[in-house]
Amino acid sequence: MKSDMRQDVKQSYVKPELVRYGPVQALTAGGPNGTNDGAAGLALSSAPSDRALKDDFATVDRAEILARLAALPVTTWSYKADDSSIRHIGPMAQDFFAAFEVGADNRHIHMIDSAGVAFAAIQALHELVQEQAAELSELRGELSELRRGAAVAELV
């Protein structure tokens, strides 16, 4: 499988296609109730993510991931092989690899890596929101005390 990927990397341009990086779990064309409701019912399971299939775990610095993500250039673009009216949005694989150093190479962004970066950044943002909410609550309490003190001073 790695040799196939190396051949793709050597080409100057590879038209996007479904590449198998492990077992594809399911591709179905049915809605949740079993009806065939078109595209809304399509589902493609990504690479296996079972803990039992992984090793060499390491925690990530979510704040650092967020900072790197904030600095990552995100643009709209068209594939050279497609009509220019077909637009996409996202980072370039080279920039993503330089920022996060994950994945097999700097020519592809694996779905699991982009999702992992998004999850870590969302968690970092959640933590920031919680910290700011606590600070805001504290400041509101101090403001209430100051207003009560000012009201008492006016009465005197």
Side-chain angles (χ1 to χ4, degrees), residues 5 57 92 155:
M5 196 175 345
F57 296 92
M92 298 302 114
L155 292 174

Side-chain angles (χ1 to χ4, degrees), residues 67-115:
R68 290 179 187 194
L69 184 60
L72 185 68
V74 176
T75 58
T76 62
W77 41 270
S78 298
Y79 284 109
K80 291 178 180 179
D82 287 343
D83 186 277
S84 63
S85 66
I86 301 172
R87 304 293 293 167
H88 301 279
I89 186 170
M92 298 302 114
Q94 291 82 356
D95 296 330
F96 189 88
F97 188 83
F100 303 108
E101 299 176 345
V102 294
D105 58 49
N106 71 347
R107 299 284 308 268
H108 304 86
I109 301 174
H110 195 287
M111 291 181 341
I112 204 160
D113 295 323
S114 60

Side-chain angles (χ1 to χ4, degrees), residues 129-153:
V129 168
Q130 296 302 310
E131 289 170 5
Q132 290 174 345
E135 183 180 3
L136 181 58
S137 179
E138 184 179 322
L139 291 172
R140 284 182 174 158
E142 290 175 17
L143 180 59
S144 284
E145 287 180 33
L146 290 171
R147 285 182 175 162
R148 278 193 295 273
V152 168

